[in-house]
């Protein structure tokens, strides 16, 4: 599905628009733990509490899609204990949250090369996706073993293959053709990208999809990023004027 670039929903309390799709780079868990002289996994564990709080807050605000960068293709290079600890946290989170997700109408989806995940994690992911398939409240989209460049490369290879075999004509290719071959096919593009932890970069996250997203960088490390900080970020989005190449006057007159 190509994105509806004006798709935002009215915020429940202040009347300003809230983004339809928020994507978050949850950074700073390791440093948060190191500041407390604790192992990095202690930070990731606290990060799961932030995940719970932000999912609930996003759902209450009426956000339709929340995409969380939980594990990148580059994260496999971390020490083995940290990688297996993260996989364990993910598995526990999914096991613990299923009832709440069903009660709150949260549908789970994933983007990334899931086949490389450990079998037990893949199994619970697939079961949760299946069991929450009919939920209509909010889509929680977990980016796992995800990398933006490899996603684009796979899409290009598949498009080239289809052109070669004749099911696609290269002269008819459009942006929608590319959208349809990404992991995010069928989802709207993010309107708002948040990165916690003080770094100002995209780190290979949704490179195609965030072309028109509003960006928000905060020094707050992910374990400290809770409801209050999320609402502050959403308020910042609500105050921005999205012009998509037009002038401010054109936007004001519709
Ligand atoms: C980045 O912090 C964070 C990650 C690589 C993992 C994020 C994972 C979680 C929050 C927990 C599991 C996820 C879910 C959805 C239950 P970092 O370790 O790079 O922090 P640093 O930059 O301070 O080292």
């Amino acid at each position: 599905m190509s994105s509806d670039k004006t798709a935002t929903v009215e915020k429940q309390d202040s009347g300003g628009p809230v983004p339809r799709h928020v994507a978050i780079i949850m950074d700073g868990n390791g440093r948060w733990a190191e500041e407390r002289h604790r192992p990095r996994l202690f930070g990731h564990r606290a990060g799961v509490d932030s995940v719970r709080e932000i999912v609930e807050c996003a759902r209450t605000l009426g956000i339709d899609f929340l995409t969380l960068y939980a594990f990148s293709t580059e994260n496999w290079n971390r020490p083995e204990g940290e990688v297996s600890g993260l996989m364990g946290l993910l598995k526990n989170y999914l096991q613990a949250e299923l009832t709440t997700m069903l009660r709150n109408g949260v549908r789970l989806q994933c983007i990334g090369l899931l086949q490389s995940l450990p079998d037990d994690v893949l199994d619970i992911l697939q079961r949760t996706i299946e069991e929450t398939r009919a939920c209509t409240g909010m889509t929680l989209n977990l980016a796992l073993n995800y990398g933006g460049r490899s996603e684009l490369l796979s899409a290009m290879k598949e498009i080239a293959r289809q052109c070669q075999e004749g099911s696609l004509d290269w002269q008819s290719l459009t942006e929608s053709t590319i959208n349809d071959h990404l992991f995010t096919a069928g989802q709207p593009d993010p309107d708002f990208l948040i990165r916690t932890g003080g770094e100002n970069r995209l780190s290979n996250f949704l490179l195609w999809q965030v072309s028109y997203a509003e960006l928000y960088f905060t020094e707050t490390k992910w374990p400290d990023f809770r409801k209050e900080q999320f609402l502050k970020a959403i308020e910042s989005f609500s105050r921005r004027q999205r012009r998509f190449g037009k002038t401010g006057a054109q936007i004001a007159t519709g």
Side-chain angles (χ1 to χ4, degrees):
M1 181 170 78
S2 63
S3 65
D4 174 355
K5 290 173 184 165
T6 58
T8 49
V9 290
E10 286 308 303
K11 193 175 173 182
Q12 290 162 350
D13 49 1
S14 72
V18 297
R20 182 172 180 210
H21 184 170
V22 178
I24 307 184
I25 301 175
M26 309 181 287
D27 196 15
N29 293 349
R31 281 166 288 153
W32 185 90
E34 281 158 17
E35 280 165 9
R36 288 158 180 78
H37 309 288
R38 303 295 298 268
R40 294 176 57 83
L41 212 51
F42 180 73
H44 294 313
R45 213 170 281 130
V48 176
D49 294 334
S50 293
V51 169
R52 283 202 177 86
E53 198 164 316
I54 299 310
V55 168
E56 176 53 16
C57 189
R59 188 188 69 79
T60 313
L61 284 174
I63 288 165
D64 289 337
F65 288 83
L66 176 67
T67 297
L68 301 178
Y69 204 4
F71 197 86
S72 72
T73 46
E74 291 77 24
N75 285 153
W76 295 110
N77 298 322
R78 294 191 173 203
E80 201 276 328
E82 185 171 343
V83 171
S84 59
L86 277 167
M87 293 299 153
L89 287 176
L90 179 63
K91 191 175 153 190
N92 292 346
Y93 170 81
L94 292 171
Q95 274 164 344
E97 289 306 296
L98 179 61
T99 317
T100 312
M101 288 171 92
L102 291 171
R103 188 179 58 238
N104 293 337
V106 174
R107 177 176 65 149
L108 183 75
Q109 291 198 334
C110 288
I111 54 172
L113 293 167
L114 303 186
Q115 292 78 5
S116 310
L117 296 172
D119 287 345
D120 55 342
V121 175
L122 188 57
D123 184 54
I124 182 134
L125 273 171
Q126 285 169 336
R127 272 190 289 136
T128 313
I129 290 169
E130 193 48 45
E131 292 194 40
T132 61
R133 191 174 292 283
C135 293
T136 54
M138 180 182 83
T139 298
L140 171 62
N141 202 25
L142 294 183
L144 293 164
N145 193 23
Y146 175 85
R149 285 189 173 190
S150 72
E151 178 186 36
L152 280 166
L153 179 63
S154 308
M156 287 175 198
K157 281 185 173 171
E158 180 54 22
I159 291 168
R161 194 189 63 73
Q162 290 178 17
C163 286
Q164 200 172 33
E165 75 168 23
S167 56
L168 272 180
D169 167 15
W170 71 269
Q171 291 183 90
S172 328
L173 299 183
T174 63
E175 292 188 7
S176 294
T177 319
I178 296 177
N179 286 327
D180 293 345
H181 286 82
L182 299 175
F183 293 126
T184 49
Q187 302 179 357
D189 287 342
D191 309 287
F192 195 38
L193 173 78
I194 298 172
R195 181 173 186 144
T196 64
E199 312 285 2
N200 299 337
R201 53 178 175 256
L202 293 178
S203 298
N204 205 15
F205 191 42
L206 300 173
L207 296 179
W208 170 273
Q209 296 89 333
V210 297
S211 297
Y212 285 96
E214 293 293 324
L215 307 180
Y216 183 90
F217 298 103
T218 171
E219 291 292 321
T220 306
K221 297 179 181 70
W222 179 250
D224 287 330
F225 193 83
R226 298 297 172 99
K227 183 177 175 184
E228 187 189 334
Q229 288 73 24
F230 187 60
L231 290 176
K232 192 172 152 209
I234 298 296
E235 270 164 33
S236 161
F237 175 88
S238 304
R239 284 194 302 271
R240 299 184 193 187
Q241 186 187 52
R242 305 182 74 202
R243 294 200 286 273
F244 304 110
K246 295 183 181 175
T247 67
Q250 283 175 302
I251 298 291
T253 55

